[in-house]
């Protein structure tokens, strides 16, 4: 056995400290560092079963115990003072929920504060009857304005008696009976954004309340922040308070944890830390139903696509499909980008008046299948910005050429950010997921047609203004022999005899 460990020694050796190498005789000093070689009558000696048939002796002396204690204390101190400098691990919290981006409905975009139990039940029933639930839209989430302005005398949150006269247990059990899940909303500060009670200092009580009411998900907002000297925490600490409450509650009750959906608008880079606390994190300020907001959100998220994977997802905000003056093409681009970038998909339009066009967008099964891919959890990413130089941050003209993996092949998203239609051309091997020397069958996931085989490149003709083309490329064998030039990517293309091809 290696004698460098302070307590474990071969029986022929004597205890060494401070990383010393083994001692060979009782009187020989350990070659490096401190040593101990007290006679056996001053030492406690423990024999442990040796792995290779040799006896191993643990020698404990007063001095060795003190030295070990000092060494461990020093190590603990070192670990403690170096803590702030350690990078936060990016492994996602896997508490059994939220592996895929969650899908469902949220009341905010369509109704703001104008919500009540009838509306929520009716919406849940429509999710079912319109077939949305069958496609995966399973969460019926209540946003802000559900509460009474004051807590009860015992300090509990109270559902607004006018809007929710039957109480939440009744409502959530009807939602569950439809095969759906129920979501609720609160805030990490003193109040919600509409000045209803927030959960600050009441995290454990409120988490328990939400669970007792039958909710499965909590959206947690960022308004009404306590003064610095009161909260004494940064953004991570503020959101950890509720993360801990949710985890403790689940540990105590044995119930699955509430799905924790952090809503703090992308402040303090939640994509770096929120995966340790919850399942999704908003990345931007609030969405609105116009192309300007959609383009800006796509642009911001194009730089953090790496942050979404199983159990942790960039939340690009509630969908505006069906709202405002979005054109059909803009709605398709919106839904495509959110889906392929693995954002939660929350419908935010009035389902009692939903048009077939809106349903056609929200219910494209081939696009949803990529969002909900059980094998590949990662987002698409830009491989070429297009009209802008690569890596340009441009809120009105985000990246145009994107690709990513799916369980069925490589996905391409071509986004026309211009105000007029345009042809969009790319070489297949511009995408890292394509193999050189292969040809690819191409399926269009919006027209639902197979569009032949692409060799080397592809052109989408006349992509409408603010429109999108989504392609699934599958390997269709070697490209035709003799395809020229010998390398699709000309950089450093060379014959094995050393002749460079320009
Ligand atoms: C905002 C949030 C919105 C909505 C609203 C409710 O902070 O981003 O999605 O929840 O609060 O007041």
């Amino acid at each position: 056995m290696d004698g460098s460990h302070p307590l474990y020694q071969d029986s022929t050796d004597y205890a060494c400290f401070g990383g010393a190498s083994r001692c060979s005789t009782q009187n020989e000093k350990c070659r490096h560092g401190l040593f101990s070689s007290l006679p056996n009558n001053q030492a406690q000696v423990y024999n442990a079963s040796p792995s290779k048939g040799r006896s191993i002796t643990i020698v404990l002396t007063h001095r060795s115990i003190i030295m070990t204690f000092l060494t461990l204390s020093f190590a603990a101190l070192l670990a403690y003072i170096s803590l702030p400098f350690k990078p936060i691990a990016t492994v996602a919290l896997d508490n059994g929920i939220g592996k895929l981006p969650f899908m469902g409905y949220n009341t905010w975009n369509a109704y703001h504060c104008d919500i009540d139990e009838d509306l929520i039940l009716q919406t849940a029933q429509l999710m079912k009857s319109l077939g949305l639930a069958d496609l995966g839209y399973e969460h019926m989430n209540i946003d802000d304005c559900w509460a009474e302005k004051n807590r009860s005398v015992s300090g509990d949150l109270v559902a607004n008696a006018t809007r929710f006269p039957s109480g939440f247990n009744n409502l959530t059990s009807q939602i569950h009976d439809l095969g759906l899940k129920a979501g609720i909303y609160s805030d990490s500060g003193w109040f919600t954004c509409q000045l209803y009670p927030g959960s600050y200092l009441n995290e454990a009580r409120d988490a328990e309340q939400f669970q007792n009411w039958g909710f499965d998900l909590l959206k947690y907002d960022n308004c009404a922040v306590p003064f610095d000297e009161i909260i004494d925490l940064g953004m991570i600490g503020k959101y950890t308070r509720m993360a801990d409450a949710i985890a403790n509650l689940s540990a105590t009750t044995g119930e699955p944890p509430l799905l924790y959906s952090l809503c703090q608008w992308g402040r303090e880079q939640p994509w770096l830390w929120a995966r340790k606390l919850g399942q999704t994190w908003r990345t931007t300020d609030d969405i609105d139903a116009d192309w300007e907001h959609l383009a800006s959100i796509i642009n911001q998220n194009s730089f953090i696509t790496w942050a979404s994977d199983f159990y942790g997802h960039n939340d690009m905000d509630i969908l505006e499909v069906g709202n405002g003056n979005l054109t059909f093409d803009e709605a398709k681009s919106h839904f495509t980008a959110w889906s392929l970038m693995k954002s939660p998909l929350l419908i935010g339009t009035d389902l009692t008046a939903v048009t077939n066009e809106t349903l056609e967008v929200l219910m494209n099964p081939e696009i949803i299948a990529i969002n909900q891919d059980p094998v590949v959890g990662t987002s698409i990413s830009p491989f070429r910005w297009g009209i802008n130089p690569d890596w340009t941050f441009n809120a009105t003209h985000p990246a145009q050429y994107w690709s990513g993996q799916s369980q069925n092949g490589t996905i391409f998203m071509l986004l026309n950010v211009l105000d007029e239609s345009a042809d969009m051309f790319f070489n297949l091997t511009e995408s890292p997921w394509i193999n050189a020397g292969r040809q690819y069958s191409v399926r269009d996931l919006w027209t639902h047609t197979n569009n032949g085989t692409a060799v080397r490149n592809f052109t989408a003709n006349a992509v409408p203004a603010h429109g999108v083309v989504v392609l699934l490329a599958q390997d269709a064998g070697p490209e035709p022999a003799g395809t020229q030039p010998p390398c699709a990517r000309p950089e450093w293309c060379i014959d094995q005899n050393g002749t460079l091809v320009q």
Side-chain angles (χ1 to χ4, degrees), residues 148 150-158 197 205 209:
E148 289 287 355
N150 294 307
R151 289 175 177 265
S152 71
V153 276
S154 55
D156 289 333
L157 291 167
V158 181
R205 170 196 290 267
Q209 177 75 276

Side-chain angles (χ1 to χ4, degrees), residues 104-285:
Y105 190 95
N106 178 291
T107 51
W108 184 253
N109 283 3
Y111 304 108
H112 292 98
C113 282
D114 197 9
I115 52 171
D116 61 34
E117 62 186 29
D118 292 340
L119 173 85
I120 283 152
L121 203 54
Q122 183 185 32
T123 304
Q125 281 158 349
L126 282 166
M127 281 165 68
K128 191 85 186 153
S129 60
L130 291 169
L132 291 159
D134 289 341
L135 285 167
Y137 292 98
E138 65 168 1
H139 286 273
M140 180 61 235
N141 296 347
I142 302 170
D143 210 279
D144 206 348
C145 309
W146 57 263
E148 289 287 355
K149 286 275 178 174
N150 294 307
R151 289 175 177 265
S152 71
V153 276
S154 55
D156 289 333
L157 291 167
V158 181
N160 184 287
T162 315
R163 292 185 179 141
F164 298 94
S166 315
F168 277 145
N169 286 101
N170 187 286
L171 183 60
T172 59
S173 78
Q174 291 192 70
I175 290 171
H176 288 151
D177 288 348
L178 289 166
L180 304 175
K181 293 178 173 168
I184 192 72
Y185 163 100
S186 190
D187 192 287
S188 55
W190 294 122
F191 304 98
T192 72
C193 301
Q194 306 305 315
L195 299 180
Y196 291 86
S199 290
Y200 179 62
L201 296 185
N202 283 290
E203 290 85 357
R205 170 196 290 267
D206 291 356
E208 192 176 351
Q209 177 75 276
F210 298 143
Q211 190 168 75
N212 289 342
W213 274 334
F215 289 106
D216 309 284
L217 173 150
L218 173 65
K219 171 176 173 179
Y220 209 50
D221 219 330
N222 191 31
C223 285
V225 182
F227 295 165
D228 289 5
E229 65 176 18
I230 293 173
I231 192 161
D232 200 22
L233 291 169
M235 189 64 83
I236 301 176
K238 188 158 74 94
Y239 276 84
T240 300
R241 295 176 61 91
M242 184 51 92
D244 287 348
I246 290 172
N248 292 340
L249 178 66
S250 172
T252 315
T253 61
E255 298 286 317
L258 293 163
L259 193 153
Y260 189 31
S261 174
L262 287 74
C263 174
Q264 41 76 269
W265 324 311
R267 303 291 192 272
E268 283 81 37
Q269 301 162 284
W271 43 91
L272 298 181
W273 49 266
R275 72 189 65 247
K276 288 300 212 183
L277 307 183
Q279 287 70 44
T280 66
W281 49 88
R282 274 275 298 281
T283 54
T284 62
D285 282 331

Side-chain angles (χ1 to χ4, degrees), residues 9-66:
Q9 296 292 312
D10 281 351
S11 58
T12 51
D13 295 346
Y14 299 87
C16 303
F17 297 101
S21 59
R22 57 195 272 171
C23 317
S24 52
T25 70
Q26 187 169 1
N27 292 322
E28 185 188 342
K29 288 187 177 176
C30 299
R31 274 187 287 278
H32 312 287
L34 303 170
F35 75 101
S36 163
S37 59
L38 291 178
N40 274 350
N41 62 2
Q42 289 183 28
Q44 287 176 277
V45 179
Y46 299 93
N47 284 315
S49 296
S51 55
K52 288 182 281 178
R54 298 176 67 198
S55 102
I56 297 171
T57 304
I58 303 170
V59 184
L60 290 183
T61 66
H62 295 308
R63 183 170 170 193
S64 72
I65 289 167
I66 289 167

